[in-house]
mmCIF file of all heavy atoms in Angstrom:
data_model
loop_
_atom_site.group_PDB
_atom_site.id
_atom_site.type_symbol
_atom_site.label_atom_id
_atom_site.label_comp_id
_atom_site.label_asym_id
_atom_site.label_seq_id
_atom_site.Cartn_x
_atom_site.Cartn_y
_atom_site.Cartn_z
ATOM 1 N N THR A 76 6.682 13.411 -31.048
ATOM 2 C CA THR A 76 7.294 14.697 -31.269
ATOM 3 C C THR A 76 7.778 15.277 -29.919
ATOM 4 O O THR A 76 7.538 14.778 -28.852
ATOM 5 C CB THR A 76 6.235 15.717 -31.869
ATOM 6 O OG1 THR A 76 5.217 15.900 -30.802
ATOM 7 C CG2 THR A 76 5.615 15.119 -33.116
ATOM 8 N N ARG A 77 8.408 16.397 -29.995
ATOM 9 C CA ARG A 77 8.899 17.054 -28.794
ATOM 10 C C ARG A 77 7.838 17.250 -27.786
ATOM 11 O O ARG A 77 7.992 17.142 -26.604
ATOM 12 C CB ARG A 77 9.606 18.371 -29.224
ATOM 13 C CG ARG A 77 10.202 19.058 -28.071
ATOM 14 C CD ARG A 77 11.107 20.215 -28.465
ATOM 15 N NE ARG A 77 11.493 20.867 -27.329
ATOM 16 C CZ ARG A 77 11.559 22.244 -27.223
ATOM 17 N NH1 ARG A 77 11.121 22.992 -28.042
ATOM 18 N NH2 ARG A 77 11.975 22.743 -25.980
ATOM 19 N N ASP A 78 6.700 17.743 -28.201
ATOM 20 C CA ASP A 78 5.594 18.145 -27.308
ATOM 21 C C ASP A 78 4.577 16.953 -26.925
ATOM 22 O O ASP A 78 3.730 17.128 -26.038
ATOM 23 C CB ASP A 78 4.711 19.222 -27.851
ATOM 24 C CG ASP A 78 5.601 20.535 -27.949
ATOM 25 O OD1 ASP A 78 6.609 20.671 -27.201
ATOM 26 O OD2 ASP A 78 5.161 21.438 -28.702
ATOM 27 N N ASN A 79 4.707 15.888 -27.659
ATOM 28 C CA ASN A 79 3.808 14.748 -27.429
ATOM 29 C C ASN A 79 4.559 13.473 -27.771
ATOM 30 O O ASN A 79 4.619 12.966 -28.879
ATOM 31 C CB ASN A 79 2.595 14.883 -28.383
ATOM 32 C CG ASN A 79 1.484 13.928 -28.072
ATOM 33 O OD1 ASN A 79 1.645 13.065 -27.155
ATOM 34 N ND2 ASN A 79 0.509 13.833 -28.981
ATOM 35 N N HIS A 80 5.224 12.844 -26.755
ATOM 36 C CA HIS A 80 5.946 11.627 -27.014
ATOM 37 C C HIS A 80 5.982 10.699 -25.754
ATOM 38 O O HIS A 80 5.590 11.113 -24.696
ATOM 39 C CB HIS A 80 7.366 11.965 -27.403
ATOM 40 C CG HIS A 80 8.263 12.542 -26.315
ATOM 41 N ND1 HIS A 80 8.445 13.823 -26.198
ATOM 42 C CD2 HIS A 80 9.028 11.872 -25.402
ATOM 43 C CE1 HIS A 80 9.261 13.951 -25.098
ATOM 44 N NE2 HIS A 80 9.603 12.849 -24.616
ATOM 45 N N ALA A 81 6.430 9.557 -25.987
ATOM 46 C CA ALA A 81 6.675 8.577 -24.942
ATOM 47 C C ALA A 81 7.997 7.972 -25.155
ATOM 48 O O ALA A 81 8.532 7.808 -26.288
ATOM 49 C CB ALA A 81 5.598 7.418 -24.950
ATOM 50 N N ARG A 82 8.615 7.629 -23.999
ATOM 51 C CA ARG A 82 9.935 6.961 -24.154
ATOM 52 C C ARG A 82 10.168 6.097 -22.880
ATOM 53 O O ARG A 82 9.469 6.145 -21.928
ATOM 54 C CB ARG A 82 11.050 7.929 -24.230
ATOM 55 C CG ARG A 82 11.192 8.818 -23.024
ATOM 56 C CD ARG A 82 12.332 9.881 -23.339
ATOM 57 N NE ARG A 82 12.320 10.845 -22.204
ATOM 58 C CZ ARG A 82 12.592 12.099 -22.304
ATOM 59 N NH1 ARG A 82 12.991 12.625 -23.476
ATOM 60 N NH2 ARG A 82 12.635 12.839 -21.267
ATOM 61 N N ILE A 83 10.979 5.037 -23.091
ATOM 62 C CA ILE A 83 11.363 4.151 -22.053
ATOM 63 C C ILE A 83 12.800 3.757 -22.044
ATOM 64 O O ILE A 83 13.419 3.732 -23.108
ATOM 65 C CB ILE A 83 10.393 2.837 -22.133
ATOM 66 C CG1 ILE A 83 10.499 2.009 -20.863
ATOM 67 C CG2 ILE A 83 10.774 2.013 -23.336
ATOM 68 C CD1 ILE A 83 9.424 0.983 -20.706
ATOM 69 N N ALA A 84 13.378 3.626 -20.808
ATOM 70 C CA ALA A 84 14.701 3.160 -20.717
ATOM 71 C C ALA A 84 14.625 1.807 -19.851
ATOM 72 O O ALA A 84 13.912 1.741 -18.803
ATOM 73 C CB ALA A 84 15.638 4.078 -20.047
ATOM 74 N N VAL A 85 15.272 0.812 -20.335
ATOM 75 C CA VAL A 85 15.213 -0.478 -19.579
ATOM 76 C C VAL A 85 16.658 -0.939 -19.275
ATOM 77 O O VAL A 85 17.606 -0.928 -20.162
ATOM 78 C CB VAL A 85 14.551 -1.527 -20.541
ATOM 79 C CG1 VAL A 85 14.448 -2.861 -19.886
ATOM 80 C CG2 VAL A 85 13.170 -1.069 -20.960
ATOM 81 N N GLU A 86 16.796 -1.428 -18.034
ATOM 82 C CA GLU A 86 18.096 -2.030 -17.630
ATOM 83 C C GLU A 86 17.915 -3.560 -17.510
ATOM 84 O O GLU A 86 16.941 -3.966 -16.819
ATOM 85 C CB GLU A 86 18.468 -1.482 -16.334
ATOM 86 C CG GLU A 86 19.792 -2.051 -15.810
ATOM 87 C CD GLU A 86 20.185 -1.595 -14.470
ATOM 88 O OE1 GLU A 86 19.609 -2.143 -13.421
ATOM 89 O OE2 GLU A 86 21.073 -0.724 -14.283
ATOM 90 N N LEU A 87 18.775 -4.325 -18.282
ATOM 91 C CA LEU A 87 18.693 -5.711 -18.191
ATOM 92 C C LEU A 87 19.901 -6.243 -17.433
ATOM 93 O O LEU A 87 20.997 -5.702 -17.628
ATOM 94 C CB LEU A 87 18.764 -6.251 -19.640
ATOM 95 C CG LEU A 87 17.757 -5.843 -20.647
ATOM 96 C CD1 LEU A 87 18.035 -6.393 -22.041
ATOM 97 C CD2 LEU A 87 16.348 -6.192 -20.201
#
Side-chain angles (χ1 to χ4, degrees):
T76 65
R77 181 172 176 224
D78 293 340
N79 187 8
H80 72 266
R82 60 184 176 213
I83 193 167
V85 179
E86 179 185 77
L87 306 174

